[in-house]
Every structure is written in C-alpha cells, then in structure tokens.
Amino acid sequence: MRVTRLDEREWRARQEAHHARVDAWIEPHLERRRRSQTHPVEDFLFSYYGYRPSRLRRWHPGAFTVLAGAADFGTGYVAVPGGQTLDVADLVARRLDSITWIADLMRRTASRAGQFGCFGMHEWAMVYRTDEIRHSSQPLRLSPQRVAAAVEERPLKCTHFDAYRFFTEPARPLNTLPLSRELQPATEQPGCLHANMDLYKWAVKLSPLVPGELVADCFELAWDIRAVDMRASPYDLRHLGYEPIPIETAEGRTTYAATQREFAGRAAPLRAELIAWCDRLSSGR
C-alpha cells in the first residue's frame, strides 16, 4: 500500500486554500438563503444534489494519506504514529457496492463516443405544453407556442435519465431513447452536460476517500455547466447577467455544440481520476 505523509504546514495550507476556493461559491449562496432568496443558476447545485455547503467546504486529503500532527480530524479518521489517517478499510467495506457501481458507470460512460447533437433541449422538454413551469419565478424568452415548435422541430436526443425524468408527459414520447434508472449505465455518454455535471455527485459520494481538491474541481465544472445549461434554456436570465444561447437558431446550436465539446474535454480527466481512485480503493492500494 502506497501511503503519503503530509507535514502539518502542507496539509493546513491545502485546507486553507480549499476553504478560500469554495467559499466564493458557498458564501453568496448562504447569504441568499438568509434573505430567503434563490438564484436559478448559482443555487442549483446545492438544491438539486442536496449536499450541504459544509460538506463541500470540508477538506479531506483522500485515502492512504497521513496528516502529521493532526488530532481529532473528524469522523472516519484514526490515530497513527505522529498523526491521523482515514480508516480506509472500514469506509471501503461499508461502501464497496457504491464504489463499484460508480466506477462501472463512469467507465462505461467514458468508453462511448460523445454525442453533441442534443442542443440542450432537455430544459425545453421540461416546459413543453404545460402551465407548470419548473422555474416559475423566471420569465420565458419565447412564447409557449414557439417553445413547443422548437421541441417538435427535431427529435429529442436526451441520454440522461435525471434530466429526462423532469420532461413533461407530452415530451417523453418525443425522446429517441427510452430512459430509466436501470438503463442509466447503458445510456450515459461523455458529451452529455448533465453526465459531466454529475461528476460532482460521484466525487461527494466517494468523499472523504478522495481529495477535497478533486471534489472542488468537479464542483467548478458543474457550476460552469449549469450556467450554459440555463443560457441554452427557454428562460430569459439576462437580468441576472446570463446571455442566451439561442439553440432555436443554427448559430445557437453551433455555439452550444462547441461548448459541449469543451466541457467533455474538461470532464474526461476528472472522470479518469475518479475511476482511478475507485480502482485503488477497491484494490486497497
């Protein structure tokens, strides 16, 4: 087993840098919550995934790392000569099924070619022919009739179940794939914005066994993806500083597909790193 030892100055510096980085996302969210306000882009990751901000803020060095000089570092840590480390054997034993499932999903996702022809129509399918608008506090930039026409103009090509499950009932039959939770490992692909956003979810589920910096990297990617997700939606968020990507036009679709490819490129090394951690945890090395 390869074990890394961090001296106290090094791990405290990493911890402080992590706090400074994530506080830029967390503190505005908490301030809005104190004022009973919400933001459709910047609060989404906290509400949709349901993880407390404190969980993102909590820094961990990851498995197989000794924190020199640490004492009482928290749940899951045990004392070793000169410091503390995670009780990896216990944590992995209790989470092995989850670690195996996450690794399999990510590995199968990474093995497929990215698809870049969905144009973010999932948000449109969520408001298709309904009076129950999901983000009802935000205006639509197109009439319901024009939204419906855009949805019906070309087949819906969503491959992500957790987006598909929010489709309106009339929209679901328009999707080219029948999606379900059971089929998720067979349909996820690396071009999907939501599959790449979910890397944050998998990183948190693997925490504290993966480094806090990796969790923050995945959150940052998800944060950037969410902004594009809503810019390409039928909502008008210009009052919040988000210029639309008008995917109802050829130019908008070109812009969206290029951005989608960029996100896929950013997600690939993060997915690979998470897979590597799963493999290391499963093997105990």
Side-chain angles (χ1 to χ4, degrees):
M1 180 194 307
R2 292 179 289 112
V3 176
T4 301
R5 186 178 181 87
L6 300 178
D7 66 44
E8 188 167 359
R9 179 181 298 180
E10 181 179 359
W11 68 256
R12 287 195 183 277
R14 284 177 57 180
Q15 184 182 55
E16 290 172 9
H18 177 80
H19 289 165
R21 180 185 184 188
V22 302
D23 280 349
W25 299 309
I26 291 172
E27 289 180 356
H29 166 71
L30 294 178
E31 179 57 32
R32 282 189 297 271
R33 195 166 70 180
R34 284 190 286 269
R35 298 196 305 262
S36 299
Q37 297 176 345
T38 59
H39 193 293
V41 178
E42 297 180 6
D43 293 333
F44 176 80
L45 299 181
F46 299 105
S47 59
Y48 177 69
Y49 290 115
Y51 300 133
R52 293 176 181 272
S54 58
R55 193 164 181 183
L56 173 62
R57 195 175 192 273
R58 180 84 164 92
W59 176 80
H60 296 281
F64 313 115
T65 303
V66 174
L67 299 177
D72 223 10
F73 199 76
T75 303
Y77 286 82
V78 294
V80 294
Q84 287 196 311
T85 190
L86 282 166
D87 187 348
V88 175
D90 178 65
L91 289 169
V92 170
R94 290 190 280 115
R95 300 188 188 184
L96 186 56
D97 287 348
S98 178
I99 292 169
T100 302
W101 190 90
I102 291 170
D104 178 66
L105 174 68
M106 291 191 296
R107 186 172 280 110
R108 293 174 72 173
T109 301
S111 72
R112 300 186 179 104
Q115 298 176 31
F116 304 99
C118 70
F119 306 121
M121 291 299 296
H122 53 275
E123 287 288 345
W124 298 64
M126 294 176 194
V127 299
Y128 175 71
R129 298 198 179 280
T130 182
D131 295 326
E132 298 178 7
I133 305 300
R134 188 160 178 237
H135 300 287
S136 57
S137 62
Q138 304 302 322
L140 295 175
R141 59 184 181 81
L142 299 173
S143 69
Q145 293 76 21
R146 289 187 65 192
V147 170
V151 172
E152 294 164 0
E153 187 176 27
R154 58 184 54 81
L156 295 175
K157 298 180 179 180
C158 185
T159 58
H160 189 70
F161 175 68
D162 281 315
Y164 172 81
R165 66 191 177 95
F166 291 106
F167 282 21
T168 64
E169 287 298 328
R172 288 183 182 179
L174 303 180
N175 203 52
T176 54
L177 285 174
L179 301 177
S180 67
R181 181 67 69 204
E182 293 72 26
L183 289 173
Q184 185 176 5
T187 56
E188 293 275 273
Q189 50 85 20
C192 172
L193 261 63
H194 275 257
N196 294 329
M197 190 185 298
D198 275 356
L199 292 177
Y200 169 60
K201 174 168 67 172
W202 308 134
V204 174
K205 285 184 177 294
L206 294 169
S207 185
L209 293 163
V210 299
E213 290 89 348
L214 178 55
V215 178
D217 287 344
C218 292
F219 184 92
E220 183 173 21
L221 174 63
W223 176 277
D224 292 345
I225 288 174
R226 176 58 178 174
V228 168
D229 210 22
M230 290 303 285
R231 288 177 61 207
S233 77
Y235 297 98
D236 190 345
L237 302 182
R238 281 173 286 195
H239 62 291
L240 296 175
Y242 295 90
E243 280 298 313
I245 298 175
I247 52 91
E248 69 276 13
T249 69
E251 181 181 4
R253 291 191 292 274
T254 298
T255 298
Y256 183 89
T259 305
Q260 197 175 18
R261 289 180 184 276
E262 178 186 340
F263 285 139
R266 287 175 58 186
L270 296 177
R271 183 176 285 111
E273 190 172 354
L274 288 169
I275 291 170
W277 270 105
C278 289
D279 291 346
R280 191 178 177 197
L281 293 167
S282 298
S283 65
R285 298 193 300 270

